[in-house]
Amino acid sequence: MAIHKLNLGEFDEVDYHLIAIHTSLEDYRIAYFINQKLPINLGKSKDEVQISIKEGETKFSRFYYYDSENVISWNLIQNKNEVSQQKKDPVQNLFSHIALEISTKVYLLPEFKKADYFLKIEHTEDTMNVSKIRTILNTIDSISAVYTVDTNQIKSKNNLIF
């Protein structure tokens, strides 16, 4: 009987570039400015990135563009969001009828808490000039910082699977 062996090493390969963006702009505004500067057309995706944590569930906004000519997927993903919880005070007192709402900040990639958005460029070849894209993104007035994220430093890589 023949033995079939599966090589799972192929699944560990990273075939995307990740660029962190620091800005105070709303998601639709940053997508608009990126569309103006780069030859892409990011549009709001109905499939938001969903994360479950112990405090609850949250969704991160996502803008998507697929370049069929170059076979490249572009994703602009929000990194920061909030989870709200309703809590009741177990002690009966004068204010026991008031429900407390507690908000907790949640991050798509907790290792990069200062980044507001990530631009994930998938299925890229070595011919793509990521430093040129960073330089173009730096020309947007409302962006304070842009840098490439080393994908080997990311501990929560599973959050980038969508």
Side-chain angles (χ1 to χ4, degrees):
M1 177 172 230
I3 297 175
H4 295 286
K5 205 173 189 185
L6 295 175
N7 183 6
L8 299 177
E10 293 177 9
F11 295 109
D12 290 339
E13 290 180 21
V14 176
D15 65 340
Y16 61 87
H17 293 287
L18 197 63
I19 299 173
I21 301 172
H22 294 251
T23 183
S24 59
L25 291 175
E26 294 290 326
D27 53 2
Y28 63 92
R29 301 246 332 171
I30 191 68
Y32 172 76
F33 289 127
I34 290 172
N35 286 342
Q36 282 187 327
K37 298 287 183 174
L38 295 173
I40 61 174
N41 189 16
L42 291 167
K44 180 88 168 157
S45 175
K46 293 176 186 164
D47 302 324
E48 294 181 324
V49 180
Q50 188 172 355
I51 300 289
S52 296
I53 57 168
K54 63 182 178 182
E55 287 87 9
E57 250 180 40
T58 188
K59 294 181 181 180
F60 296 93
S61 68
R62 174 180 169 214
F63 287 77
Y64 178 76
Y65 172 69
Y66 180 71
D67 183 0
S68 57
E69 184 178 315
N70 298 316
V71 192
I72 297 175
S73 297
W74 297 76
N75 288 284
L76 178 69
I77 314 119
Q78 179 183 22
N79 187 39
K80 299 176 183 180
N81 209 345
E82 288 189 357
V83 173
S84 296
Q85 288 181 294
Q86 296 286 336
K87 288 204 174 185
K88 278 247 181 204
D89 195 4
V91 180
Q92 292 292 329
N93 59 23
L94 182 62
F95 303 104
S96 63
H97 68 282
I98 299 173
L100 274 153
E101 187 171 318
I102 298 173
S103 294
T104 308
K105 267 213 188 277
V106 181
Y107 301 93
L108 180 69
L109 297 180
E111 307 89 270
F112 301 96
K113 290 183 178 180
K114 296 193 180 211
D116 297 304
Y117 298 96
F118 290 106
L119 185 62
K120 181 182 175 188
I121 309 166
E122 293 182 87
H123 309 295
T124 61
E125 298 176 10
D126 295 332
T127 58
M128 175 162 278
N129 192 347
V130 178
S131 63
K132 184 178 178 184
I133 293 172
R134 275 196 340 255
T135 306
I136 292 170
L137 290 175
N138 261 328
T139 63
I140 299 173
D141 290 335
S142 301
I143 291 181
S144 56
V146 174
Y147 54 90
T148 306
V149 174
D150 182 11
T151 52
N152 296 324
Q153 291 181 346
I154 303 172
K155 295 175 187 165
S156 50
K157 286 183 185 177
N158 290 342
N159 293 350
L160 292 173
I161 300 172
F162 43 83

